[in-house]
Amino acid sequence: MVHGLSPRGGRLVTMRCGQAGEKRLGTAFSDHDLLLILRSAGCVDPNLDPALDDPCRVEWRGAAAHWWGRGGAGRMTGLSVKGP
């Protein structure tokens, strides 16, 4: 799950972990940051298209998909990734 913009900039990225709730993966400031966070968490196969617009894989909340706030595409506050 990619959460809305934070007051400090960026978007929080979390992953659903069944009954345990959500696991915080990091804060992204761009699509590139998001991909790095997802790959490091093992959520994205580095050999395949990451499908950031696939609602079955990534849920964008609190702001439009790929919106990183003032300052351009380098601003992101949160991502929630649906686990297996």
Side-chain angles (χ1 to χ4, degrees), residues 1-16 22-30 33-34 37-38 58-64 67-68 75-81:
M1 179 177 298
V2 180
H3 298 267
L5 291 167
S6 108
R8 295 175 295 156
R11 297 178 74 168
L12 174 65
V13 178
T14 61
M15 179 172 65
R16 290 192 186 128
E22 291 183 358
K23 177 180 178 182
R24 183 184 182 119
L25 299 178
T27 300
F29 294 88
S30 67
D33 289 349
L34 178 57
I37 291 169
L38 294 176
V58 177
E59 181 178 343
W60 297 83
R61 289 192 173 180
W67 174 251
W68 307 112
R75 299 271 174 221
M76 162 176 138
T77 312
L79 164 82
S80 175
V81 179

Side-chain angles (χ1 to χ4, degrees), residues 47-60:
N47 300 314
L48 299 176
D49 178 8
L52 295 179
D53 293 315
D54 180 352
C56 294
R57 300 206 41 127
V58 177
E59 181 178 343
W60 297 83

